[in-house]
Amino acid sequence: MDSYRMFQQEFDLSMEALCRRILDRHQATIRVRKADTAVANLVRIIDTTLTLANRKGFHSTSLRDLSEQSGLSMGALYSYFDSKDTLLLMILGQVVDAIQQVLIVPDVTTGSVYNRLRALIARHVYLTERMGPWFVFAFMEAKAFSKQGREMAIESELWTEGQLRDVIADGIAAGLFRPQDPTMAAALIKPMLQDWYVKRSKYRRRAIDPDGFVVALGDAVSAMLGCDSKLALKMS
């Protein structure tokens, strides 16, 4: 996987596919038995929630707002979740699920240090490009999360940083990267990855696409880690 186009072919991250996975995880509580109907309505619910949250904030969005904008009755909404907190956890849970689905794959977990780091950076950028509104929601609404939601978000961020840390530590141990604290190095890379989706319009105005951002970020990470110029983390 070495381009955004190939990534899209490898992973189905369409709204329908993501909502189908939500249905699979919450079958015990969602009270709609017909799967196609349940998925179609979840698409309406999640899409409307992300739109309203971006417009006015999730905390300021009421279930009445969601009902009016989605075209689903309050009773229909309660067939999928019992509160806004549950809806938030559904969305956040799918973000966490997608991160682990995309980042626990052979080209990230095996192979050379350079290939593993390249894959981690590229896949993170491509994932957040494909699921932009989901990740913006998770980032911007963190202050409104319940205790369970905050813990889930923190754990997911630390998990991602841990993947970066482990690869960097392996590179340092092999003498391929400049000696430094791998935990701090990973913590510094994470905000650069987040900048892609939090400030997406900035890069759009500069006509920088996902592959271009991956190359630029690869150069920055290469300099941070002190890679040999012949082995620089060029992102193809």
Coordinates of all heavy atoms in Angstrom, one line a residue, residues 146-200:
S146 N -18.1 12.1 28.0 CA -18.3 11.6 29.3 C -17.0 11.0 29.8 O -16.0 10.9 29.0 CB -19.4 10.5 29.3 OG -18.9 9.4 28.4
K147 N -16.9 10.6 31.0 CA -15.7 10.0 31.6 C -15.3 8.7 30.7 O -14.1 8.6 30.4 CB -15.9 9.5 33.0 CG -14.7 8.9 33.7 CD -15.0 8.7 35.2 CE -13.7 8.2 35.9 NZ -13.3 6.8 35.4
Q148 N -16.3 7.9 30.4 CA -16.0 6.7 29.5 C -15.4 7.2 28.2 O -14.5 6.6 27.7 CB -17.2 5.9 29.4 CG -17.0 4.6 28.6 CD -18.2 3.8 28.5 OE1 -19.3 4.1 29.0 NE2 -18.1 2.6 27.7
G149 N -16.0 8.2 27.6 CA -15.6 8.7 26.3 C -14.2 9.2 26.3 O -13.4 9.0 25.4
R150 N -13.9 10.0 27.4 CA -12.5 10.6 27.5 C -11.5 9.5 27.7 O -10.4 9.5 27.1 CB -12.5 11.5 28.7 CG -13.2 12.9 28.5 CD -12.8 13.9 29.5 NE -13.1 13.4 30.9 CZ -14.3 13.6 31.5 NH1 -15.3 14.2 30.9 NH2 -14.5 13.2 32.7
E151 N -11.8 8.5 28.5 CA -10.9 7.4 28.7 C -10.7 6.6 27.4 O -9.5 6.2 27.1 CB -11.4 6.5 29.8 CG -11.4 7.1 31.2 CD -12.0 6.2 32.2 OE1 -12.7 5.2 31.8 OE2 -11.9 6.5 33.4
M152 N -11.7 6.4 26.6 CA -11.6 5.7 25.3 C -10.7 6.5 24.4 O -9.8 6.0 23.7 CB -13.0 5.5 24.7 CG -12.9 4.7 23.4 SD -14.6 4.5 22.6 CE -15.6 3.8 23.9
A153 N -10.9 7.8 24.3 CA -10.1 8.7 23.4 C -8.7 8.7 23.8 O -7.8 8.6 23.0 CB -10.7 10.1 23.4
I154 N -8.4 8.9 25.1 CA -7.0 8.9 25.6 C -6.3 7.6 25.3 O -5.2 7.6 24.9 CB -7.0 9.2 27.1 CG1 -7.5 10.7 27.3 CG2 -5.6 9.0 27.7 CD1 -7.7 11.0 28.8
E155 N -7.0 6.5 25.6 CA -6.4 5.2 25.4 C -6.1 5.0 23.9 O -5.0 4.4 23.6 CB -7.4 4.1 25.9 CG -6.8 2.7 25.7 CD -7.8 1.6 26.3 OE1 -8.8 2.0 27.0 OE2 -7.6 0.4 26.0
S156 N -7.0 5.4 23.0 CA -6.7 5.3 21.6 C -5.5 6.1 21.1 O -4.7 5.6 20.4 CB -8.0 5.7 20.8 OG -7.8 5.6 19.4
E157 N -5.4 7.3 21.7 CA -4.3 8.2 21.3 C -3.0 7.6 21.8 O -2.0 7.6 21.1 CB -4.5 9.6 21.8 CG -3.4 10.5 21.5 CD -3.7 12.0 21.6 OE1 -4.9 12.3 21.8 OE2 -2.8 12.8 21.4
L158 N -3.0 7.1 23.0 CA -1.8 6.5 23.6 C -1.4 5.2 22.8 O -0.3 4.9 22.6 CB -2.0 6.2 25.0 CG -2.1 7.4 26.0 CD1 -2.4 7.0 27.4 CD2 -0.8 8.2 25.9
W159 N -2.4 4.5 22.3 CA -2.2 3.3 21.5 C -1.5 3.6 20.2 O -0.5 3.0 19.9 CB -3.5 2.5 21.3 CG -3.3 1.2 20.5 CD1 -3.0 0.0 21.0 CD2 -3.3 1.1 19.1 NE1 -2.9 -0.9 20.0 CE2 -3.1 -0.3 18.8 CE3 -3.6 1.9 18.0 CZ2 -3.1 -0.8 17.5 CZ3 -3.5 1.4 16.7 CH2 -3.3 0.0 16.5
T160 N -2.0 4.6 19.6 CA -1.4 5.1 18.3 C 0.1 5.5 18.5 O 1.0 5.2 17.8 CB -2.2 6.2 17.6 OG1 -3.5 5.7 17.5 CG2 -1.6 6.6 16.3
E161 N 0.2 6.4 19.6 CA 1.6 6.8 19.9 C 2.5 5.6 20.2 O 3.7 5.6 19.9 CB 1.5 7.8 21.1 CG 1.1 9.2 20.7 CD 1.3 10.2 21.9 OE1 2.0 9.9 22.8 OE2 0.6 11.2 21.9
G162 N 1.9 4.6 20.9 CA 2.7 3.4 21.2 C 3.2 2.7 20.0 O 4.3 2.2 20.0
Q163 N 2.4 2.6 18.9 CA 2.8 2.0 17.7 C 4.0 2.8 17.1 O 5.0 2.2 16.7 CB 1.7 2.0 16.7 CG 0.4 1.3 17.1 CD 0.6 -0.1 17.6 OE1 1.1 -1.0 16.9 NE2 0.3 -0.3 18.9
L164 N 3.9 4.1 17.1 CA 5.0 4.9 16.6 C 6.3 4.7 17.5 O 7.4 4.6 17.0 CB 4.6 6.4 16.6 CG 3.6 6.8 15.5 CD1 3.0 8.1 15.8 CD2 4.2 6.8 14.1
R165 N 6.0 4.8 18.8 CA 7.2 4.7 19.8 C 7.9 3.4 19.6 O 9.2 3.3 19.6 CB 6.6 4.7 21.2 CG 7.6 4.6 22.3 CD 7.0 4.1 23.6 NE 6.3 2.8 23.4 CZ 5.1 2.5 23.9 NH1 4.4 3.4 24.6 NH2 4.6 1.3 23.7
D166 N 7.2 2.3 19.4 CA 7.9 1.0 19.3 C 8.7 0.9 18.0 O 9.8 0.3 18.1 CB 6.8 -0.2 19.3 CG 6.1 -0.3 20.6 OD1 6.6 0.3 21.6 OD2 5.1 -1.0 20.7
V167 N 8.2 1.4 16.9 CA 9.0 1.4 15.7 C 10.3 2.3 15.9 O 11.4 1.9 15.5 CB 8.2 1.8 14.5 CG1 9.1 1.9 13.2 CG2 7.0 0.9 14.3
I168 N 10.1 3.4 16.4 CA 11.2 4.4 16.6 C 12.2 3.7 17.6 O 13.4 3.8 17.3 CB 10.7 5.7 17.2 CG1 9.9 6.4 16.1 CG2 11.9 6.6 17.6 CD1 9.1 7.6 16.7
A169 N 11.8 3.1 18.6 CA 12.7 2.4 19.6 C 13.5 1.3 18.9 O 14.7 1.2 19.1 CB 11.9 1.8 20.7
D170 N 12.8 0.6 18.0 CA 13.5 -0.4 17.2 C 14.6 0.2 16.3 O 15.7 -0.4 16.2 CB 12.5 -1.3 16.4 CG 11.7 -2.2 17.2 OD1 12.0 -2.4 18.4 OD2 10.7 -2.7 16.7
G171 N 14.3 1.3 15.7 CA 15.2 2.0 14.9 C 16.4 2.5 15.6 O 17.5 2.5 15.2
I172 N 16.2 3.1 16.8 CA 17.3 3.6 17.7 C 18.2 2.4 18.1 O 19.4 2.5 18.0 CB 16.7 4.3 18.9 CG1 16.0 5.6 18.5 CG2 17.8 4.6 19.9 CD1 15.2 6.2 19.6
A173 N 17.5 1.3 18.5 CA 18.3 0.1 18.9 C 19.2 -0.4 17.8 O 20.3 -0.9 18.1 CB 17.3 -1.0 19.5
A174 N 18.7 -0.3 16.6 CA 19.4 -0.8 15.4 C 20.5 0.2 14.9 O 21.2 -0.1 14.0 CB 18.5 -1.2 14.3
G175 N 20.5 1.4 15.6 CA 21.5 2.4 15.1 C 21.1 3.1 13.9 O 21.9 3.8 13.2
L176 N 19.8 3.0 13.5 CA 19.3 3.7 12.3 C 18.8 5.1 12.5 O 18.7 5.9 11.6 CB 18.2 2.8 11.7 CG 18.6 1.4 11.3 CD1 17.4 0.6 10.8 CD2 19.7 1.4 10.1
F177 N 18.4 5.3 13.8 CA 17.8 6.6 14.2 C 18.7 7.3 15.2 O 19.4 6.6 16.0 CB 16.4 6.5 14.7 CG 15.4 6.0 13.7 CD1 14.2 5.4 14.2 CD2 15.6 6.0 12.4 CE1 13.3 4.8 13.4 CE2 14.6 5.5 11.5 CZ 13.5 4.9 12.0
R178 N 18.7 8.6 15.3 CA 19.4 9.3 16.3 C 19.0 8.9 17.7 O 17.8 8.8 17.9 CB 19.3 10.8 16.1 CG 20.0 11.7 17.1 CD 19.6 13.1 17.0 NE 19.9 13.7 15.7 CZ 19.0 14.2 14.8 NH1 17.7 14.2 15.2 NH2 19.4 14.6 13.7
P179 N 19.9 8.6 18.6 CA 19.5 8.3 20.0 C 18.6 9.4 20.6 O 19.0 10.6 20.6 CB 20.8 8.2 20.7 CG 21.8 7.8 19.7 CD 21.3 8.6 18.5
Q180 N 17.4 9.1 21.1 CA 16.5 10.0 21.7 C 15.4 9.3 22.4 O 15.4 8.1 22.4 CB 15.9 11.0 20.7 CG 15.2 10.2 19.5 CD 14.8 11.2 18.4 OE1 13.9 12.0 18.6 NE2 15.5 11.1 17.3
D181 N 14.6 10.0 23.1 CA 13.5 9.4 23.8 C 12.4 9.0 22.8 O 11.7 9.9 22.2 CB 12.9 10.4 24.9 CG 11.7 9.8 25.7 OD1 11.2 8.7 25.3 OD2 11.3 10.4 26.6
P182 N 12.1 7.7 22.5 CA 11.2 7.3 21.5 C 9.7 7.7 21.9 O 8.9 8.0 21.0 CB 11.3 5.8 21.4 CG 11.9 5.4 22.7 CD 12.8 6.5 23.1
T183 N 9.4 7.8 23.2 CA 8.1 8.2 23.6 C 7.8 9.6 23.2 O 6.8 10.0 22.7 CB 7.9 8.0 25.1 OG1 8.1 6.6 25.4 CG2 6.5 8.4 25.6
M184 N 8.8 10.5 23.5 CA 8.7 11.9 23.2 C 8.6 12.1 21.7 O 7.9 12.9 21.1 CB 9.8 12.7 23.8 CG 9.8 14.2 23.4 SD 8.2 15.0 24.0 CE 8.4 14.9 25.7
A185 N 9.5 11.4 20.9 CA 9.5 11.5 19.5 C 8.1 11.1 18.9 O 7.5 11.8 18.0 CB 10.5 10.6 18.9
A186 N 7.5 10.1 19.4 CA 6.2 9.7 19.0 C 5.1 10.7 19.3 O 4.2 11.0 18.5 CB 5.8 8.3 19.6
A187 N 5.2 11.3 20.5 CA 4.3 12.3 21.0 C 4.4 13.6 20.1 O 3.4 14.3 19.9 CB 4.6 12.7 22.4
L188 N 5.6 13.9 19.6 CA 5.7 15.0 18.7 C 5.2 14.8 17.3 O 4.7 15.7 16.6 CB 7.2 15.4 18.6 CG 7.8 16.0 19.9 CD1 9.3 16.1 19.7 CD2 7.2 17.3 20.2
I189 N 5.3 13.5 16.8 CA 4.8 13.2 15.5 C 3.2 13.2 15.5 O 2.6 13.6 14.5 CB 5.3 11.8 15.1 CG1 6.8 11.8 14.9 CG2 4.6 11.3 13.8 CD1 7.4 10.5 14.7
K190 N 2.6 12.8 16.6 CA 1.1 12.7 16.6 C 0.4 14.0 16.3 O -0.5 14.0 15.4 CB 0.7 12.2 18.0 CG -0.8 11.8 18.1 CD -1.1 10.6 17.1 CE -2.4 9.9 17.5 NZ -3.6 10.8 17.3
P191 N 0.8 15.1 16.8 CA 0.1 16.4 16.5 C 0.3 16.7 15.0 O -0.6 17.4 14.4 CB 0.8 17.4 17.3 CG 1.3 16.7 18.5 CD 1.8 15.3 17.9
M192 N 1.5 16.3 14.4 CA 1.6 16.6 13.0 C 0.7 15.8 12.1 O 0.1 16.3 11.1 CB 3.1 16.3 12.6 CG 4.1 17.3 13.1 SD 5.8 17.1 12.4 CE 6.4 15.6 13.2
L193 N 0.4 14.6 12.6 CA -0.6 13.7 11.9 C -2.0 14.4 12.1 O -2.8 14.4 11.1 CB -0.6 12.3 12.5 CG 0.6 11.5 12.1 CD1 0.7 10.2 13.0 CD2 0.6 11.1 10.7
Q194 N -2.3 14.9 13.3 CA -3.6 15.5 13.5 C -3.8 16.7 12.7 O -5.0 17.1 12.4 CB -3.8 15.7 15.0 CG -3.9 14.5 15.9 CD -3.8 14.8 17.4 OE1 -3.1 15.7 17.8 NE2 -4.5 14.0 18.2
D195 N -2.8 17.4 12.4 CA -2.9 18.7 11.7 C -3.5 18.5 10.3 O -4.2 19.4 9.8 CB -1.5 19.3 11.5 CG -1.6 20.8 11.2 OD1 -2.1 21.5 12.1 OD2 -1.1 21.3 10.2
W196 N -3.3 17.3 9.8 CA -3.9 17.0 8.5 C -5.4 17.1 8.4 O -6.0 17.7 7.5 CB -3.5 15.6 8.0 CG -4.1 15.2 6.7 CD1 -5.1 14.3 6.5 CD2 -3.9 15.8 5.4 NE1 -5.5 14.2 5.2 CE2 -4.8 15.2 4.5 CE3 -3.1 16.8 4.9 CZ2 -4.8 15.5 3.1 CZ3 -3.1 17.1 3.6 CH2 -4.0 16.5 2.7
Y197 N -6.1 16.6 9.4 CA -7.5 16.6 9.4 C -8.1 17.8 10.2 O -9.2 18.3 9.8 CB -8.1 15.3 9.9 CG -7.8 14.8 11.3 CD1 -8.6 15.2 12.3 CD2 -6.8 14.0 11.5 CE1 -8.3 14.8 13.6 CE2 -6.5 13.5 12.8 CZ -7.3 14.0 13.9 OH -7.0 13.6 15.1
V198 N -7.5 18.2 11.2 CA -8.0 19.4 12.0 C -7.9 20.7 11.1 O -8.8 21.5 11.2 CB -7.2 19.6 13.3 CG1 -7.7 20.8 14.0 CG2 -7.4 18.3 14.2
K199 N -6.9 20.8 10.3 CA -6.7 22.0 9.5 C -6.7 21.6 8.0 O -5.9 22.2 7.2 CB -5.4 22.7 9.9 CG -5.4 23.2 11.4 CD -4.1 23.8 11.7 CE -4.1 24.2 13.2 NZ -2.8 24.8 13.6
R200 N -7.6 20.8 7.6 CA -7.6 20.2 6.3 C -7.7 21.3 5.2 O -7.1 21.3 4.2 CB -8.8 19.2 6.1 CG -8.8 18.5 4.8 CD -7.7 17.7 4.5 NE -7.7 17.0 3.3 CZ -7.2 17.5 2.1 NH1 -6.7 18.8 2.1 NH2 -7.3 16.9 1.0

